[in-house]
Amino acid sequence: MNNYMNDNTARRYIAHVSIFGTTQIHLRNPYIIAWWSAAFPGFGHLLLSKYLRGFVLFIWEVVINLNSNLNVAMIHSFQGDIGMAKEVLHTRWLLIYIPVYIFAIWDSYRTTVDLNKIYVLAERENHPFNSFSIGAMEINYLDKRNPILSIVWSLLMPGLGQLYIHRIIGAFFIVIWTVIFFYYSHLLEAISLLFLGEIQKATKVLDSEWLLLFPSLYGFATYDAYINTVENNKLVEREQKNFLKKTYQNPDFYIEKEKR
């Protein structure tokens, strides 16, 4: 198979294609990554493809959030009942939550800055990377996809956008947690009752504590799928350009700079 395999002969690689997905480094806005970590710890790291750290912070957020009654307190504060919000908060859990929350924002920002520097160096090195991977379980290859379709599939069901662009690890994680959120929030049950005109029953059956976890999950899944589709398309063009240049371009060919 005439396909380059990453063999650590380069100091830095732009991308790596495996059966689990395409991992790549590209320029990111550190403030946006930090914002996603603030919205939900773990999301900023998942955007950077730092899965293990992102999974740990995500699960930490869910566990601590539910045990500290943070979402319940937020609901009371939205209703103007500040006294009740203070009363329902479980401070022993909340005090554990704060340091990790701050760390997630800081670490995602710091890592983004570092990866941006690494990307600039890797781009200058311009070392080849693999574009095709086949194994007993899966096949993955660089290919252009439609960013709008990534958004549509993510809105229909978080995780499907990641599956569309073959980010298996992220898709599996998001789909599993989406199912958990749907189950414990009773959202689908409430929607069914809403269609039947049972508005009071639909409102009563909802678990608002779990429901408040949905906006961040939906927003992240949609944003992540769209951004990675756009960046994967750029990666396809980069790989094709390097291949054509290396295979077909005469070594003596060069483009003269325009004289002014």
Side-chain angles (χ1 to χ4, degrees):
M1 181 171 61
N2 184 22
N3 183 42
Y4 180 81
M5 299 298 293
N6 293 357
D7 55 6
N8 294 325
T9 57
R11 293 193 67 189
R12 304 168 185 87
Y13 288 97
I14 291 289
H16 175 68
V17 177
S18 71
I19 60 173
F20 295 109
T22 301
T23 306
Q24 64 170 306
I25 303 173
H26 58 85
L27 293 176
R28 298 176 174 91
N29 188 328
Y31 293 104
I32 292 179
I33 301 299
W35 184 89
W36 277 111
S37 291
F40 207 108
F43 282 166
H45 291 86
L46 291 179
L47 285 169
L48 299 173
S49 297
K50 297 181 73 68
Y51 293 112
L52 294 180
R53 194 173 305 186
F55 294 162
V56 169
L57 290 171
F58 180 93
I59 295 172
W60 172 275
E61 163 68 18
V62 173
V63 172
I64 301 300
N65 189 307
L66 295 175
N67 282 280
S68 65
N69 295 327
L70 182 60
N71 281 350
V72 176
M74 289 175 61
I75 294 171
H76 287 301
S77 64
F78 292 157
Q79 296 172 344
D81 194 351
I82 306 300
M84 191 62 183
K86 293 179 181 179
E87 185 176 340
V88 298
L89 275 176
H90 200 309
T91 54
R92 285 188 297 175
W93 284 97
L94 187 64
L95 292 177
I96 299 175
Y97 175 86
I98 295 173
V100 179
Y101 182 80
I102 296 174
F103 169 81
I105 299 172
W106 172 81
D107 188 63
S108 63
Y109 178 89
R110 175 197 61 83
T111 304
T112 306
V113 173
D114 288 344
L115 287 178
N116 285 346
K117 295 176 182 178
I118 292 174
Y119 171 79
V120 172
L121 295 173
E123 186 180 33
R124 292 179 180 177
E125 189 172 351
N126 198 27
H127 201 278
F129 52 87
N130 63 321
S131 60
F132 184 87
S133 180
I134 185 170
M137 298 293 293
E138 270 287 355
I139 300 173
N140 186 25
Y141 50 90
L142 289 181
D143 187 26
K144 282 194 171 184
R145 306 290 167 88
N146 189 337
I148 303 301
L149 281 180
S150 296
I151 295 176
V152 172
W153 284 117
S154 295
L155 291 176
L156 289 175
M157 175 71 175
L160 294 185
Q162 282 70 21
L163 276 180
Y164 171 62
I165 58 176
H166 201 95
R167 291 176 64 86
I168 302 299
I169 298 176
F172 180 80
F173 184 81
I174 293 172
V175 167
I176 290 298
W177 279 100
T178 300
V179 172
I180 293 173
F181 288 176
F182 269 125
Y183 180 82
Y184 285 103
S185 67
H186 301 279
L187 179 59
L188 295 181
E189 185 179 351
I191 293 174
S192 300
L193 290 171
L194 189 62
F195 285 153
L196 295 174
E198 302 285 350
I199 299 177
Q200 291 184 349
K201 288 184 178 180
T203 304
K204 187 176 180 180
V205 77
L206 278 174
D207 189 324
S208 56
E209 190 173 17
W210 284 91
L211 186 65
L212 281 184
L213 299 174
F214 260 114
S216 297
L217 183 65
Y218 258 96
F220 167 77
T222 305
Y223 178 82
D224 179 70
Y226 175 80
I227 289 298
N228 280 291
T229 304
V230 172
E231 294 299 332
N232 281 357
N233 289 345
K234 294 178 183 179
L235 196 65
V236 172
E237 294 177 356
R238 182 188 187 93
E239 194 277 334
Q240 289 179 338
K241 174 185 175 182
N242 289 338
F243 172 77
L244 294 173
K245 183 177 179 180
K246 178 181 178 181
T247 307
Y248 297 105
Q249 182 170 300
N250 191 309
D252 297 328
F253 174 81
Y254 67 95
I255 300 176
E256 294 184 357
K257 293 183 179 179
E258 183 180 356
K259 295 181 181 180
R260 295 184 180 178

